[in-house]
Amino acid sequence: MVYKMSELDIHNLPLTKYIFFTGKGGVGKTSTACAVSVALADQGKKVILVSTDPASNLQDVFKTNLDNKGIEIKEVANLTVANFEPESAAAEYRESVVGPFRGKLPEVVIQNMEEQLSGSCTVEIAAFNEFTHFLTDEKVTETFDHIVFDTAPTGHTLRMLQLPSAWTDFISENTTGASCLGQLSGLEDKKEVYRNAVDTLADGQKTTLMLVTRPDYSPMKEAERASKELSDIGVNNQLLIVNGLATEGDDPLSNAIYDKQQKALKEMPEMLKSLDTKSIALKPFNIVGINHLRNFFQSDYDMPLASKEDIADCFNLSHVIEDLHVKDKKVIFTMGKGGVGKTTMAAAIARGLAQKGKKVHLTTTDPAAHLNMVTDEVENISISFIDENEELSKYKKEVLSALPLDTSKEDRDYIEEDLKSPCTQEIAVFRAFAELVERSNDEVVVIDTAPTGHTLLLLDSTQSYHKEIERSNGQVPESVMNLLPRLRDDSHTEVLILTLAETTPVYEAKRLLEDLKRAGLYSKWWLINSSLYATETTNKLMLSKANQEAKWINHVHDISNGQTALIKWIPEDVTNNVLENL
């Protein structure tokens, strides 16, 4: 069991004025933030809850239409809730940066700027720009006892806010390759406000950072990364919340989930073990409505169970594999957010195609994949692993070595910080993938951890940008330049979108689909992984959770025009025997 982990007791929790919740999508940040806000308001505290999560379902949780100014919740005296739309804020922000250059620079340069300002880093900066008001405005500070934020900024974003060159108009002059440079262009007038906001975040007397995770390997690794990033810039006032903790059950499924969680907790990263840790029990129901929020922290709350709902007919994984085989697809990506099972599905698809006589190469960036276990007994499969850190290091050196000799230390520091962004890591890894995809002339290449459409567009727009201004410094390899048309050929390449039958993963997958469409990549199949609905559980709590999946299974079925495969939850590690039964 985790050191010093006790059940979260909201009445005995020392809380600061500002409370931030952060963690991977789908771990329960919003539910926890809402329940904490309601509990504090019920104690007589004046509370405002602010969400900047693109996948936020605050309006569903409170069953109230919300705006970005703040709406008082009738059923909860003292509680006000504000819900931002960061995508809209990012669009406005993007235009404020790019607008002054329209008509003054070539159109391809404008397109390049727009694409560089369309990634997740820009959305986060735009969101931070919105909620600095709640961090620094004296009237807000005086009105509310607690200001709660659903979704905290990352350490990467906060470091960028502290760098001098982040405030220059850098994006219009960027020739160092595809990246996320320039998110802060045009915000010079807010420099002092941002500095005060960052100082407030690092002040343990004012701010508490709640790291929310589930008792599972992937979200805990994400929590460790976030904890370290924030600690590196002085935000050490952290508390870890392990949400969804199961107890021993009464059927094979519930016991398997309990055992898997306990194993993950015993292997919790050391950095997390040093944090004050609280747990929240697994709930059998979506946390929607004031009554459920008020009882969220009550372990003995007899929450009603979800009733059985029918789902649309879904395919199984073998049908997807047969379709890929018949269509003779040569490059297959498994794409989705972390924790949805991309590596397992990539291995299963590679195995299935190899059994049909295809020569298959399977590649992944997951160091814990142990793919040898699933290929030893199957002919026609070869595997490779790409070391993300090694590829990123190589790419950083290449970009930095191409900088002009007179580049200032401030600009160099900013570029080095930008090279830590998610986009940069995807680009670095994708360059390694580019060489592997050349193999698709002779065999099927199945790729786990694929780049997003945004990354592909960055590579494409950078290529056009360099061509236009005739000063390309070779940052985009020839293999990548030639690769993009091949990836956009739907007779050659297909992207499989993976999700879970839950709110946040589905919303994130929908944004990914739009991203792919924008980049011109073809996607036919959606795979709903780790479904409890597809199991035969008899445990009441698990059965209730399974029934809640029906809404999202049907939603994905509609989005995909019926091209949906449903894959049941399995407790075992990936082996040939497990893949045989998916």
Side-chain angles (χ1 to χ4, degrees):
M1 183 56 68
V2 180
Y3 178 64
K4 288 185 178 179
M5 185 168 74
S6 58
E7 193 168 0
L8 193 152
D9 180 359
I10 191 63
H11 298 289
N12 294 310
L13 196 63
L15 294 173
T16 50
K17 188 175 194 70
Y18 303 100
I19 306 167
F20 282 84
F21 288 83
T22 189
K24 276 181 72 72
V27 295
K29 290 191 302 293
T30 298
S31 297
T32 309
C34 291
V36 165
S37 299
V38 170
L40 291 173
D42 283 345
Q43 292 174 20
K45 305 290 188 181
K46 290 281 288 184
V47 180
I48 184 168
L49 169 61
V50 183
S51 177
T52 58
D53 187 348
S56 173
N57 61 333
L58 276 186
Q59 299 196 144
D60 296 329
V61 172
F62 287 101
K63 299 182 178 178
T64 302
N65 290 327
L66 302 171
D67 60 24
N68 63 351
K69 302 298 182 185
I71 297 292
E72 293 183 358
I73 304 301
K74 295 178 181 178
E75 300 91 338
V76 186
N78 303 317
L79 178 60
T80 300
V81 180
N83 194 25
F84 288 114
E85 293 184 1
E87 296 286 356
S88 299
E92 292 178 11
Y93 171 57
R94 184 161 51 246
E95 185 56 30
S96 73
V97 176
V98 177
F101 296 100
R102 295 189 189 280
K104 298 176 182 178
L105 294 175
E107 184 59 28
V108 290
V109 179
I110 297 297
Q111 290 173 0
N112 173 257
M113 292 169 66
E114 289 178 331
E115 188 54 45
Q116 290 202 31
L117 288 168
S118 67
S120 58
C121 295
T122 303
V123 173
E124 190 166 342
I125 289 292
F128 190 74
N129 184 44
E130 293 285 350
F131 67 56
T132 45
H133 166 70
F134 291 93
L135 276 172
T136 58
D137 185 86
E138 290 184 6
K139 184 178 179 181
V140 173
T141 301
E142 292 172 359
T143 302
F144 296 100
D145 298 306
H146 294 287
I147 302 169
V148 183
F149 295 93
D150 173 23
T151 303
T154 65
H156 169 63
T157 297
L158 296 175
R159 283 196 304 271
M160 292 185 72
L161 291 166
Q162 295 173 315
L163 292 167
S165 284
W167 306 99
T168 64
D169 195 14
F170 200 49
I171 190 171
S172 61
E173 302 171 5
N174 169 37
T175 61
T176 57
S179 73
C180 291
L181 291 170
Q183 298 93 331
L184 301 174
S185 300
L187 287 176
E188 178 70 31
D189 60 330
K190 296 196 175 184
K191 186 174 183 178
E192 190 62 32
V193 175
Y194 277 24
R195 181 182 291 117
N196 291 337
V198 173
D199 289 345
T200 298
L201 277 167
D203 187 341
Q205 299 300 311
K206 296 180 179 179
T207 301
T208 304
L209 190 82
M210 303 286 197
L211 291 165
V212 185
T213 185
R214 286 195 181 276
D216 203 357
Y217 175 80
S218 181
M220 285 198 296
K221 289 298 291 182
E222 176 70 13
E224 179 193 34
R225 183 198 62 75
S227 178
K228 184 178 186 307
E229 273 197 351
L230 293 162
S231 180
D232 286 346
I233 58 171
V235 183
N236 294 305
N237 39 319
Q238 303 175 10
L239 185 144
L240 182 67
I241 297 176
V242 179
N243 185 33
L245 194 62
T247 56
E248 288 188 88
D250 54 13
D251 78 336
L253 176 71
S254 54
N255 284 325
I257 289 176
Y258 172 79
D259 291 342
K260 192 171 185 178
Q261 287 188 357
Q262 291 301 308
K263 181 175 184 292
L265 290 171
K266 289 177 182 177
E267 297 171 358
M268 176 183 282
E270 288 300 319
M271 186 170 187
L272 296 184
K273 288 182 179 179
S274 67
L275 298 176
D276 184 13
T277 304
K278 306 296 180 184
S279 68
I280 300 174
L282 182 66
K283 299 296 188 293
F285 207 83
N286 287 331
I287 311 303
V288 175
I290 302 301
N291 189 46
H292 289 168
L293 290 172
R294 283 196 164 118
N295 289 279
F296 185 67
F297 300 116
Q298 305 301 317
S299 57
D300 59 348
Y301 172 47
D302 189 18
M303 193 175 289
L305 303 179
S307 57
K308 178 77 172 178
E309 289 186 38
D310 292 331
I311 64 169
D313 290 335
C314 295
F315 295 98
N316 55 31
L317 186 61
S318 62
H319 189 100
V320 177
I321 293 171
E322 176 65 19
D323 187 60
L324 295 169
H325 170 65
V326 170
K327 300 290 176 54
D328 197 28
K329 294 300 171 78
K330 296 294 188 182
V331 179
I332 300 164
F333 290 110
T334 55
M335 221 183 245
K337 293 294 181 182
V340 296
K342 295 187 298 293
T343 303
T344 302
M345 289 303 103
I349 288 161
R351 183 182 186 280
L353 291 172
Q355 287 182 326
K356 293 180 179 295
K358 298 281 190 183
K359 186 179 179 184
V360 181
H361 184 76
L362 170 63
T363 186
T364 182
T365 59
D366 185 351
H370 305 303
L371 291 182
N372 286 323
M373 294 175 62
V374 301
T375 59
D376 287 344
E377 301 173 16
V378 183
E379 295 182 359
N380 300 324
I381 291 184
S382 59
I383 64 172
S384 64
F385 296 88
I386 294 174
D387 188 319
E388 287 189 342
N389 292 329
E390 182 180 324
E391 295 301 329
L392 184 58
S393 178
K394 283 163 53 179
Y395 185 66
K396 284 181 180 178
K397 289 177 182 177
E398 184 177 333
V399 171
L400 293 172
S401 65
L403 291 175
L405 295 177
D406 61 352
T407 301
S408 69
K409 182 180 184 303
E410 289 180 351
D411 280 354
R412 182 176 290 274
D413 287 346
Y414 180 41
I415 294 166
E416 287 181 351
E417 182 57 43
D418 180 77
L419 287 170
K420 297 176 183 177
S421 74
C423 296
T424 304
Q425 185 159 8
E426 279 197 342
I427 289 166
V429 171
F430 187 48
R431 287 149 54 94
F433 279 144
E435 299 177 9
L436 289 167
V437 172
E438 295 292 327
R439 303 175 63 139
S440 64
N441 292 326
D442 304 310
E443 56 190 333
V444 178
V445 179
V446 180
I447 302 177
D448 165 40
T449 313
T452 65
H454 170 64
T455 298
L456 297 178
L457 280 168
L458 274 178
L459 291 165
D460 196 25
S461 61
T462 301
Q463 177 185 342
S464 302
Y465 181 31
H466 287 177
K467 185 183 297 183
E468 177 69 23
I469 63 178
E470 296 182 348
R471 53 178 178 175
S472 172
N473 53 18
Q475 291 297 307
V476 183
E478 191 70 24
S479 60
V480 173
M481 292 184 181
N482 294 335
L483 183 62
L484 293 175
R486 173 181 287 180
L487 294 184
R488 289 169 175 152
D489 181 355
D490 60 15
S491 68
H492 191 88
T493 300
E494 184 161 338
V495 175
L496 306 177
I497 296 179
L498 268 73
T499 186
L500 305 176
E502 300 172 9
T503 309
T504 301
V506 170
Y507 279 133
E508 290 177 340
K510 287 170 70 174
R511 287 198 297 276
L512 172 61
L513 179 62
E514 292 305 311
D515 200 20
L516 294 174
K517 288 179 179 178
R518 201 158 49 91
L521 269 70
Y522 176 73
S523 177
K524 173 183 176 181
W525 289 102
W526 282 59
L527 309 183
I528 301 176
N529 194 28
S530 298
S531 171
L532 297 178
Y533 193 100
T535 67
E536 297 179 357
T537 182
T538 57
N539 177 268
K540 288 179 65 176
L541 188 149
M542 294 303 166
L543 188 58
S544 179
K545 291 188 68 63
N547 291 340
Q548 292 168 72
E549 292 184 355
K551 170 185 174 181
W552 297 108
I553 293 170
N554 289 332
H555 187 55
V556 169
H557 187 272
D558 291 341
I559 297 169
S560 67
N561 295 315
Q563 304 301 308
T564 298
L566 189 64
I567 298 131
K568 69 179 179 180
W569 189 91
I570 54 171
E572 300 94 341
D573 291 329
V574 181
T575 63
N576 276 309
N577 183 55
V578 168
L579 297 181
E580 184 74 35
N581 293 292
L582 286 178

